[in-house]
Amino acid sequence: MKIGIIGAGLIGGTLARRWTQLGHEVSIANSRGPDTLRELAKETGAKAVTVEEAAKAGEVVVVTIPQKAVPDLPKGLFANVPKDVVIIDTGNYYPVRDGSIPELENGKVESEWVASLIGRPVIKAFNNIYFSSLAEKGTPKGTPGRVALPIAGDPPEHRAKVLQLVEELGFDAIDAGSLADSWRQQPGTPVYTHDLDAAGVKKALAEAERSRLPEYRQKADDSLKAFFASQK
């Protein structure tokens, strides 16, 4: 499969590494240009390209950038990209990193906001797992305690393709419904960063309460704030 990745951070770099290992043809881009990705390209086997080239790279395009950077993507980036190309959003909103985004503070589902900005439906995936777990915890299907990942989004045939990619990476893929349901896997929710198995993911998704989203977000934001402080 041909896959484009926009964003070369921890998740983007990990996906590039894993997918090239599995034989996929990966093109990766960041906001600073292909020349800044030479080392990553050499290490992973991915091709360093521009953001525009990554958007047109193939059957699947992953947008894996900070939430605050989504409005800065080139205008009309996906305008001429075929409608059957699957776009994956791995993003999370952290006010301590992204600043305040009023629409999200007022309750808009994070990936619905992303979809509205880029003008295309997206599939929410890979947002609730640490990059280290994504890199190291994939196991063969049927392995007891195999880590599971929720995938939410529309249309269903796009979601099905991402479910398949997740299984291939070594994780049980859990169909978490439409994009409107993806709030259940936003930062701080019960399914977020806990490396649960399939039964655990389903239970955690069911336990999430929409009325508690501000509380969940605050908890996740406080955690990131503490991490930033520890790095000083």
Side-chain angles (χ1 to χ4, degrees), residues 105-128:
E105 294 293 341
N106 290 332
K108 191 174 182 80
V109 176
E110 292 174 17
S111 284
E112 288 189 324
W113 179 78
V114 171
S116 70
L117 285 177
I118 67 172
R120 291 290 290 266
V122 300
I123 305 298
K124 183 82 160 185
F126 305 117
N127 77 297
N128 75 310

Side-chain angles (χ1 to χ4, degrees), residues 15 34 57 70 130 173 221 223:
L15 287 172
V70 175
Y130 288 123
D221 209 46
S223 177

Side-chain angles (χ1 to χ4, degrees), residues 172-192:
D172 280 345
I174 306 301
D175 189 330
S178 71
L179 198 62
D181 298 313
S182 65
W183 62 268
R184 294 181 181 275
Q185 63 198 73
Q186 288 181 181
T189 56
V191 80
Y192 196 70

Side-chain angles (χ1 to χ4, degrees), residues 25-40:
E25 188 179 319
V26 178
S27 299
I28 190 165
N30 66 6
S31 60
R32 293 175 294 140
D35 285 349
T36 64
L37 293 172
R38 282 180 181 159
E39 287 301 314
L40 180 66

Side-chain angles (χ1 to χ4, degrees), residues 3-4 18 21 34 37 43 48-49 64 83 100 108 118 128 140 145 150 153 167 175 186-187 198 202 232:
I3 302 172
R18 293 287 290 111
Q21 288 169 351
L37 293 172
E43 183 216 330
V49 298
T64 179
K83 298 298 183 190
S100 177
K108 191 174 182 80
I118 67 172
N128 75 310
E167 288 282 350
D175 189 330
Q186 288 181 181
K202 290 174 184 176
K232 289 179 180 176

Side-chain angles (χ1 to χ4, degrees), residues 126-201:
F126 305 117
N127 77 297
N128 75 310
I129 186 170
Y130 288 123
F131 83 96
S132 53
S133 295
L134 184 59
E136 300 163 8
K137 293 192 175 181
T139 55
K141 193 167 183 64
T143 302
R146 190 188 198 210
V147 175
L149 296 179
I151 295 94
D154 313 294
E157 58 270 23
H158 287 197
R159 191 163 72 239
K161 189 170 275 191
V162 180
L163 288 164
Q164 177 190 332
L165 279 170
V166 168
E167 288 282 350
E168 194 179 299
L169 286 166
F171 302 92
D172 280 345
I174 306 301
D175 189 330
S178 71
L179 198 62
D181 298 313
S182 65
W183 62 268
R184 294 181 181 275
Q185 63 198 73
Q186 288 181 181
T189 56
V191 80
Y192 196 70
T193 66
H194 290 300
D195 292 348
L196 304 168
D197 63 9
V201 163

